[in-house]
Amino acid sequence: MYASSSSTEAEAEAEAEKNIYKYIFGFVEMAVVKCAIELNIAEAIESHHTCLTLSQLSSAVNCDPSMLHRIMRFLTRRNIFKQVSTTRDGAQPEPAYVNTPLSRLLIKKSEASMAAFVMLECSPVMLAPWQNLSGRVRANGTSSFEKAHGKDVWGYAEANAEHRELINEAMACDARRGMREIVEHCREAFEGVRSVVDVGGGNGTAMRMLVRACPWLRGINFDLPHVAAAAPNCDGVEHVGGDMFVSVPKADAAFLMWVLHDWGDEECIEILKKCREAVGEKGKVMIAEAVIEEAGEKEKLKEVGLMLDMVMMAHTSVGKERTVSEWEYVIREAGFSAFSVRHIPSSVKSLIMAFP
């Protein structure tokens, strides 16, 4: 028994020693993926419609072949790109690479791109607050972001045009993916609705996609005045500037995607009350956010929700991801009589619908 127990402990210690390096060097994957985006590796491979050898790829992206080989070795090991063998004219075999569904998400101008989101989270501005996460936990209210930059994330964005554009691009790429999923799986939620106001809609990407998919809708893109003023024009979408804590433009339905997780319960209740006033007694409010304690088909995405919760802790003052019961609390406290949760396959988001 003693020998067996000792052997088990030794195996556990060996496993722990192997796993600790994932945390010591956890930043490496983010940094190398950022490097791949900046070098336009996925674009270069995609533009040739075939595999590219190491020498061809290094010429296409203007990189040192030996260093690029090391980058690609790292990324293919993680299945971000795929390495294939190729031999031409009797020459020595040379590594060659093709894109994968994952690497195609790094193509900047692709409709499905998540490159802007990666670049936002890799930016020095967004990384700095993580250095004070323990202080955030101890202080229980002192924002890590504000400690790093002297302003909250919204004040910083308003004062810094370059970072504001980075946020807008990241939110737009996520909105494209999110609205595609919502229209595909929850289109019926918009049937019988004539107008929708997107509360915190950024540059209007979500409303543009929704009006295109549901042409009977009139879309209102509502955000802070400096955000709405910079949004591009689009048929069927009106851009309105304002403050969601003061009032929300009237519509048959209010839509919020990745907005409420930025705020604490009190703020969420206040926002939802303004949305309830905007939609009246016959309208509804639709919330596209994570629900972090789900089982079943979305269990594999639970880790994403938990990571997002840590992001909220680092980047906001009081934001958090919520469980079903926590969503029920803010919805009921805002005066809604009923709500439902529609899980969206293969997405960390669910569509939560609240009814007056």
Side-chain angles (χ1 to χ4, degrees):
M1 287 292 290
Y2 179 80
S4 175
S5 176
S6 177
S7 174
T8 301
E9 288 179 6
E11 290 173 4
E13 288 176 2
E15 185 70 13
E17 186 173 347
K18 181 179 70 174
N19 286 335
I20 192 62
Y21 286 105
K22 295 178 183 178
Y23 305 103
I24 294 171
F25 297 117
F27 68 93
V28 172
E29 290 182 339
M30 172 186 273
V32 179
V33 169
K34 179 187 178 188
C35 175
I37 292 171
E38 292 174 330
L39 295 177
N40 296 313
I41 292 173
E43 283 92 340
I45 295 172
E46 196 74 4
S47 67
H48 285 75
H49 306 291
T50 184
C51 65
L52 283 189
T53 64
L54 176 63
S55 58
Q56 290 171 328
L57 183 58
S58 63
S59 295
V61 299
N62 193 28
C63 287
D64 176 88
S66 62
M67 289 192 178
L68 184 60
H69 174 256
R70 290 158 65 187
I71 290 288
M72 296 306 291
R73 179 174 61 189
F74 183 90
L75 293 171
T76 55
R77 174 73 176 178
R78 282 150 183 80
N79 299 313
I80 295 174
F81 295 93
K82 182 179 180 181
Q83 181 176 327
V84 295
S85 298
T86 180
T87 305
R88 295 179 180 174
D89 302 325
Q92 282 290 107
E94 184 181 6
Y97 309 98
V98 296
N99 275 326
T100 66
L102 184 50
S103 68
R104 289 190 179 95
L105 298 180
L106 307 181
I107 298 174
K108 298 186 188 78
K109 293 185 179 180
S110 164
E111 185 71 15
S113 177
M114 293 293 281
F117 214 149
V118 176
M119 297 305 289
L120 171 67
E121 297 302 331
C122 286
S123 69
V125 172
M126 300 306 266
L127 288 176
W130 290 103
Q131 299 296 330
N132 191 49
L133 189 61
S134 59
R136 166 75 172 92
V137 176
R138 287 194 183 103
N140 191 25
T142 302
S143 163
S144 300
F145 192 97
E146 199 164 343
K147 185 175 178 63
H149 302 296
K151 298 179 179 180
D152 67 16
V153 66
W154 313 119
Y156 187 91
E158 185 173 3
N160 294 269
E162 186 176 347
H163 186 68
R164 181 168 69 244
E165 183 60 24
L166 203 56
I167 289 177
N168 289 341
E169 289 177 2
M171 295 302 98
C173 80
D174 185 71
R176 283 191 291 271
R177 174 172 295 275
M179 288 312 299
R180 234 183 357 258
E181 295 164 341
I182 288 168
V183 169
E184 180 181 353
H185 297 286
C186 308
R187 184 187 177 93
E188 69 279 4
F190 300 96
E191 293 176 359
V193 175
R194 295 167 300 173
S195 58
V196 178
V197 55
D198 186 0
V199 181
N203 68 5
T205 297
M207 280 298 96
R208 286 197 298 276
M209 292 190 68
L210 183 59
V211 168
R212 192 182 310 149
C214 305
W216 64 85
L217 287 174
R218 179 174 67 89
I220 303 168
N221 178 55
F222 179 62
D223 212 308
L224 293 169
H226 71 273
V227 177
N233 292 329
C234 174
D235 289 343
V237 177
E238 177 188 4
H239 300 294
V240 177
D243 184 342
M244 63 187 174
F245 289 101
V246 176
S247 66
V248 170
K250 293 191 181 299
D252 293 338
F255 179 79
L256 304 96
M257 182 160 60
W258 289 145
V259 171
L260 298 180
H261 71 167
D262 292 329
W263 301 97
D265 289 351
E266 289 183 12
E267 292 86 356
C268 285
I269 292 165
E270 204 53 43
I271 295 166
L272 287 171
K273 283 181 177 178
K274 298 303 179 186
C275 290
R276 190 181 185 282
E277 291 172 9
V279 302
E281 293 303 317
K282 295 183 179 179
K284 58 185 169 183
V285 175
M286 294 180 273
I287 305 162
E289 297 244 12
V291 180
I292 64 171
E293 289 188 358
E294 296 176 4
E297 62 182 18
K298 293 185 70 172
E299 180 65 22
K300 62 184 178 181
L301 290 164
K302 182 176 180 179
E303 289 302 313
V304 181
L306 295 176
M307 284 190 284
L308 282 168
D309 191 43
M310 295 297 97
V311 172
M312 293 302 104
M313 188 180 291
H315 289 165
T316 72
S317 298
V318 288
K320 63 179 181 179
E321 302 302 332
R322 290 175 168 85
T323 64
V324 170
S325 61
E326 288 171 326
W327 278 118
E328 181 175 13
Y329 172 75
V330 296
I331 289 168
R332 299 286 190 188
E333 288 296 306
F336 292 88
S337 62
F339 79 104
S340 64
V341 179
R342 175 79 174 270
H343 304 317
I344 303 171
S346 302
S347 174
V348 68
K349 301 182 191 73
S350 294
L351 188 65
I352 305 161
M353 290 189 283
F355 306 94

